[in-house]
Amino acid sequence: QVQLVESGGGLVQAGGSLRLSCATSGSIFSSSTMGWYRQAPGKQREFVATITSRSSTNYAESAKGRFTISRDNAKNTVYLQMSSLKPDDTAVYYCNAVRGGIIYWGRGTQVTVSS
């Protein structure tokens, strides 16, 4: 019964900010590593950031200094705060959860950054 639902995507100007949310259901959230990935048209899905159950974080080089991943275990929600957005950040952003060797994916939310 694990579900991941992304929200917060939209259109933003270059240099602007946006916060994505991933709401989950089920009992696995607090013990799961959560992540954000993105996929632009014609490109492979790529890693953006992860956060463990103890809130250790990891970022793609392109995200360092601009994006922040966080989690609220009480709300079963993970966030991606994005700042200084660039047109190259335009993509569908996907939330995932990893636990016990199983990977769960959300359906994605579109982020479009205008130049």
Side-chain angles (χ1 to χ4, degrees):
Q1 294 186 338
V2 174
Q3 299 180 65
L4 291 76
V5 181
E6 301 94 337
S7 63
L11 176 64
V12 64
Q13 293 182 335
S17 299
L18 203 62
R19 188 175 77 159
L20 306 182
S21 298
C22 176
T24 68
S25 61
S27 61
I28 69 165
F29 181 85
S30 63
S31 59
S32 297
T33 293
M34 305 296 299
W36 287 97
Y37 294 74
R38 67 188 184 187
Q39 187 168 21
K43 297 183 178 180
Q44 299 275 8
R45 185 174 298 186
E46 66 177 6
F47 160 77
V48 177
T50 55
I51 183 166
T52 69
S53 60
R54 61 187 298 272
S55 296
S56 295
T57 59
N58 191 29
Y59 295 93
E61 188 66 29
S62 62
K64 291 180 180 178
R66 300 191 301 126
F67 294 2
T68 301
I69 188 170
S70 62
R71 64 192 294 159
D72 185 336
N73 290 339
K75 295 183 177 181
N76 294 332
T77 301
V78 63
Y79 304 95
L80 184 68
Q81 178 67 50
M82 304 185 293
S83 300
S84 301
L85 284 163
K86 307 172 182 179
D88 285 349
D89 295 319
T90 296
V92 177
Y93 283 71
Y94 297 91
C95 174
N96 84 345
V98 181
R99 183 178 182 271
I102 300 174
I103 305 174
Y104 304 91
W105 290 97
R107 295 176 181 176
T109 185
Q110 177 71 49
V111 172
T112 302
V113 184
S114 61
S115 60

